[in-house]
Amino acid sequence: MNIREARVIICSPGRNFVTLRIETESGLHGLGDATVNGREMAVVAYLQDHVIPCLLGRDAGRIEDTWQYLYRGAYWRGGPITMAAIAAVDVALWDIKAKAAGMPLYQLLGGASRERMLCYPHARGVDVPALLDHVAALRGQGYRAIRLQCGIPGLDRAYGTDASQARRGLPAEQLWDCEAYLRFAPRMLRTMREHVGEEVDLLHDVHHRLTPIQAARLAREVESLHLFWLEDPVPAENHEVIRMIRQHSTTPLAIGEVFNSIHDCRALIQEQLIDYIRVTPVHAGGLTQVRRIADLAALWQIRTAFHGAGDMSPVTYGAALHLGRALSNFGIQEFAGHPPEAREVFPRAWAYADGHLTSGEAPGHGVDIDEAAAARFPYTRSYLPVCRLTDGTLWNY
Ligand code: GCO
Ligand code: MG
């Protein structure tokens, strides 16, 4: 089952996606997602110039060996671009292996631990009444876990209140004020809890915006609201910081969407500093590494919460849902959804129903690409916004 062809397909059905398509001599093909939002073409070049020449003629069945070959063989290990490129190869090879076996991928990953995966969408509002309306609409669609992001009085366009963060042209600039946020967020979350009651799981993403002591204060102030989690309260490169937040609060913490290595996760898991690990197959080196991270996390009863913002392509959702179906410590799957054009470009077996996602039973991960449709949506350079404090200091987006 040698690899005959590998090519990168770049398209923008509503937003940019980079997809690797690998085909074997026997005519089977598999897909992997390589999208790094705002830096897409760096992964394209990495794949086309450096990875694809090494893939041609290789045995598509040797997934572990290929992973090690690309990881160790590069010498310069890790980082989001390298790991997204490795992820695309890895997920495409798992797709091919499962198709060759005639099985849905979750069967190869150990078989089903559950039939459907709890998921959460994003509720957004420019203010509390608008957010309440959105929450009511999402509850009407059956969701039982909901992420809440709300406009902050005095600040224009807070994180999470726009459906699409990416912008054509140069990066947009957003203002941020930690104190304004800290005055508002606990009140906003309390209002939402009072409206929805205790049965709905409520999540909130701080998006790396606070200092450690501010994060500890917020986590403590919202403790009695029993959030499902507080996400990324601070940038998590420095694990000491999370230790400090943890000492002050029992509010569950979810961290890891920007991590790309098991070593980024290790101390947070082994010291029980988090409750949910947010790595995804696309940004953390594919199923081969994310499965290892999830298995490590299981030893500390930490559960998975694979990143599922709109910039994770339907291919990554396919991979994540098959893995989530098999893992004993699956926790929840983020489900931001995709624009209709993306659904046209990526036919998929996975589906939403009643607050949950299902993987489908198609062989492989169940997501394909319609290349004719993809060609109608050409890549356009776009960026995530950057964030500045009110005095102009550049902050964490
Ligand atoms: C989330 C994330 C996203 C990221 C985005 C960056 O929790 O869904 O924080 O909204 O900002 O994926 O590309
Ligand atoms: Mg997040």
Side-chain angles (χ1 to χ4, degrees), residues 120 147 159 205-208 231-232 257 278 307 334:
Y120 70 92
R147 188 185 91 154
Y159 165 76
D205 190 351
V206 187
H207 219 255
H208 326 270
E231 179 179 334
D232 288 329
E257 68 180 42
R278 297 263 302 139
H307 187 199
E334 182 179 22

Side-chain angles (χ1 to χ4, degrees), residues 35-250:
T35 309
V36 174
N37 197 4
R39 295 292 185 271
E40 293 86 356
M41 300 309 278
V43 198
V44 173
Y46 194 105
L47 282 167
Q48 285 178 341
D49 295 345
H50 306 293
V51 172
I52 288 176
C54 304
L55 294 179
L56 302 177
R58 280 183 80 84
D59 179 354
R62 295 181 64 177
I63 299 177
E64 177 68 30
D65 185 68
T66 302
W67 195 96
Q68 300 293 346
Y69 184 84
L70 295 174
Y71 181 76
R72 295 173 193 246
Y75 186 66
W76 313 104
R77 295 182 183 190
I81 305 301
T82 298
M83 297 315 286
I86 294 177
V89 175
D90 184 76
V91 168
L93 294 184
W94 277 106
D95 192 24
I96 288 172
K97 194 181 267 295
K99 283 178 176 171
M103 287 179 182
L105 181 50
Y106 73 85
Q107 291 288 8
L108 291 194
L109 298 171
S113 287
R114 63 194 56 74
E115 296 310 312
R116 55 187 199 157
M117 279 59 73
L118 179 68
C119 68
Y120 70 92
H122 297 175
R124 312 180 178 91
V126 287
D127 54 21
V128 169
L131 183 60
L132 283 169
D133 286 350
H134 198 183
V135 167
L138 291 168
R139 291 193 70 199
Q141 293 165 32
Y143 290 104
R144 34 196 99 172
I146 299 178
R147 188 185 91 154
L148 305 166
Q149 304 300 142
C150 191
I152 299 159
L155 286 182
D156 202 26
R157 306 181 61 192
Y159 165 76
T161 55
D162 270 348
S164 171
Q165 302 157 261
R167 175 174 134 159
R168 316 268 194 225
L170 294 177
E173 301 223 344
Q174 291 184 357
L175 275 188
W176 181 253
D177 179 337
C178 293
E179 283 301 329
Y181 168 76
L182 281 171
R183 283 192 297 274
F184 174 72
R187 276 194 283 123
M188 178 276 285
L189 292 169
R190 183 166 303 282
T191 307
M192 304 313 291
R193 174 57 84 209
E194 281 163 3
H195 271 77
V196 301
E198 284 285 337
E199 273 74 52
V200 181
D201 289 319
L202 298 179
L203 301 83
H204 178 64
D205 190 351
V206 187
H207 219 255
H208 326 270
R209 297 285 171 92
L210 296 177
T211 66
I213 197 69
Q214 289 170 336
R217 168 180 149 192
L218 177 65
R220 189 148 82 180
E221 278 183 23
V222 299
E223 212 168 63
S224 66
L225 304 179
H226 301 146
L227 296 183
F228 191 90
W229 77 43
L230 206 55
E231 179 179 334
D232 288 329
V234 288
E237 294 112 12
N238 178 358
H239 296 159
E240 297 285 337
V241 157
I242 315 291
R243 248 170 241 139
M244 205 272 271
I245 302 169
R246 202 63 161 171
Q247 280 161 9
H248 289 87
S249 172
T250 58

